[in-house]
């Protein structure tokens, strides 16, 4: 892997760290990293303007038509059309970025490495900043809401939880330990609600899967008890 590509991967993976300081820095860094990757892979990669699946394309274009109609009828059409432009750009960039990562495992692994480091750095900075501003480190803790990183915590919460999906290690428990006090000090209720609902959905999913497995087990158990089990076995293997 060339050094230029490594720099591009670094910009993409570390871009969200700049979100803590300035949204413009974040956007510029992310776009520079993405488009430099597209340029470096131009011989192997073709920029697509549609999805590969026909049904997805139909849904996408139907959504655009509805957006255009609503924008025309909007009180401020110019502002609505700007939102549509950002939406289209976001979708197209994500389609092609996903395609690039699927076809380039080396870049994917390096971006994930930088992303993991960036996420841990982000939650660490937020955690200690909130502790300092709350007076906890000086022994004069107050319950006053720390608002500086409250908005950023929405996306940081998702990233911290995603860490365990990239690699199962006890080390990723530390970012979680930093996350919950930060949410409490910042009075960020939306991420907590999202985590709570996510846990409920996971419990429901595993419960349904357990019922399915139990039904399959009972079916084969009853089948083995049946006097015609040899007949069923022969029929299923034909």
């Amino acid at each position: 892997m060339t050094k230029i590509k490594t720099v591009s991967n670094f910009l993409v993976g570390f871009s969200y760290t700049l979100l803590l300081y300035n949204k413009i820095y974040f956007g510029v860094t992310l776009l520079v990293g993405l488009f430099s990757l597209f340029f470096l892979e131009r011989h192997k990669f073709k920029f697509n303007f549609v999805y590969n699946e026909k049904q997805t394309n139909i849904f996408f274009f139907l959504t655009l038509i509805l957006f255009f109609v609503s924008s025309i009828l909007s009180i401020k059409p110019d502002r609505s059309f700007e939102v549509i432009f950002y939406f289209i750009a976001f979708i197209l960039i994500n389609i092609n970025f996903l395609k690039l990562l699927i076809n380039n495992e080396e870049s994917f692994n390096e971006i994930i490495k930088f992303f993991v480091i960036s996420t841990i750095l982000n939650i660490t900075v937020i955690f200690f900043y909130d502790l300092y501003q709350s007076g906890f480190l000086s022994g004069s803790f107050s319950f006053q809401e720390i608002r500086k990183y409250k908005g950023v915590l929405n996306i940081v919460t998702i990233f911290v939880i995603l860490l365990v999906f990239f690699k199962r290690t006890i080390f990723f428990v530390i970012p979680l330990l930093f996350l919950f006090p930060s949410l409490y000090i910042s009075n960020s209720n939306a991420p907590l609600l999202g985590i709570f609902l996510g846990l409920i959905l996971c419990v429901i999913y595993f419960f349904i899967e357990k019922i399915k497995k139990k039904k399959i087990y009972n079916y084969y158990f009853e089948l083995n008890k049946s006097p015609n089990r040899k007949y069923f076995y022969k029929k299923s293997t034909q």
Side-chain angles (χ1 to χ4, degrees):
M1 182 178 291
T2 63
K3 292 183 179 180
I4 298 177
K5 187 178 290 187
T6 300
V7 172
S8 300
N9 294 333
F10 172 81
L11 292 176
V12 174
F14 251 89
S15 58
Y16 278 94
T17 296
L18 297 178
L19 186 61
L20 300 182
Y21 304 100
N22 190 288
K23 295 178 181 179
I24 297 177
Y25 293 163
F26 156 70
V28 171
T29 303
L30 181 60
L31 289 176
V32 169
L34 287 173
F35 282 104
S36 60
L37 280 176
F38 292 152
F39 178 77
L40 292 171
E41 296 291 333
R42 64 189 183 280
H43 300 298
K44 306 176 185 177
F45 173 78
K46 183 180 179 181
F47 199 89
N48 290 333
F49 292 91
V50 292
Y51 289 90
N52 293 327
E53 296 83 6
K54 184 178 179 181
Q55 292 180 344
T56 307
N57 285 326
I58 293 174
F59 176 78
F60 176 62
F61 287 113
L62 180 62
T63 303
L64 290 182
I65 292 171
L66 294 175
F67 276 14
F68 274 111
V69 172
S70 63
S71 298
I72 293 172
L73 301 175
S74 174
I75 299 175
K76 295 182 178 180
D78 52 341
R79 187 172 181 180
S80 298
F81 281 116
E82 288 180 4
V83 174
I84 293 177
F85 172 77
Y86 293 138
F87 172 75
I88 295 173
F90 176 81
I91 294 296
L92 292 179
I93 290 173
N94 276 276
I95 292 172
N96 291 277
F97 183 51
L98 176 62
K99 181 183 175 183
L100 185 145
L101 292 181
I102 291 174
N103 297 324
N104 195 329
E105 186 177 355
E106 192 175 3
S107 288
F108 171 77
N109 291 330
E110 192 166 47
I111 289 173
I112 292 300
K113 180 181 69 175
F114 290 133
F115 171 78
V116 169
I117 297 172
S118 172
T119 302
I120 295 173
L121 177 63
N122 292 347
I123 191 58
T124 303
V125 170
I126 293 173
F127 173 70
F128 283 104
Y129 176 85
D130 287 346
L131 283 184
Y132 176 77
Q133 291 296 325
S134 65
F136 181 83
L137 297 178
S138 60
S140 57
F141 180 76
S142 66
F143 290 95
Q144 185 177 359
E145 179 181 313
I146 309 299
R147 300 181 60 88
K148 182 174 182 178
Y149 296 118
K150 184 174 182 178
V152 181
L153 272 171
N154 293 327
I155 190 69
V156 171
T157 300
I158 297 174
F159 289 163
V160 170
I161 294 174
L162 284 176
L163 290 179
V164 297
F165 292 94
F166 296 125
K167 187 177 181 180
R168 293 184 179 180
T169 172
I170 194 67
F171 178 73
F172 288 156
V173 175
I174 298 175
L176 286 173
L177 295 177
F178 287 172
L179 174 64
F180 290 104
S182 300
L183 293 175
Y184 174 74
I185 296 173
S186 300
N187 193 26
S188 298
N189 297 320
L192 290 173
L193 179 61
I195 293 172
F196 178 71
L197 292 177
L199 289 174
I200 292 176
L201 291 175
C202 287
V203 170
I204 294 173
Y205 171 77
F206 287 119
F207 181 72
I208 293 174
E209 288 296 313
K210 189 174 181 179
I211 292 176
K212 288 181 179 179
K213 290 180 180 179
K214 189 174 182 180
K215 286 183 177 180
I216 294 173
Y217 173 78
N218 290 336
Y219 170 76
Y220 283 108
F221 180 75
E222 293 295 330
L223 189 63
N224 289 329
K225 289 174 61 178
S226 173
N228 298 323
R229 61 182 181 276
K230 293 183 179 180
Y231 168 76
F232 286 115
Y233 175 76
K234 289 180 180 179
K235 189 175 181 180
S236 62
T237 55
Q238 287 179 353

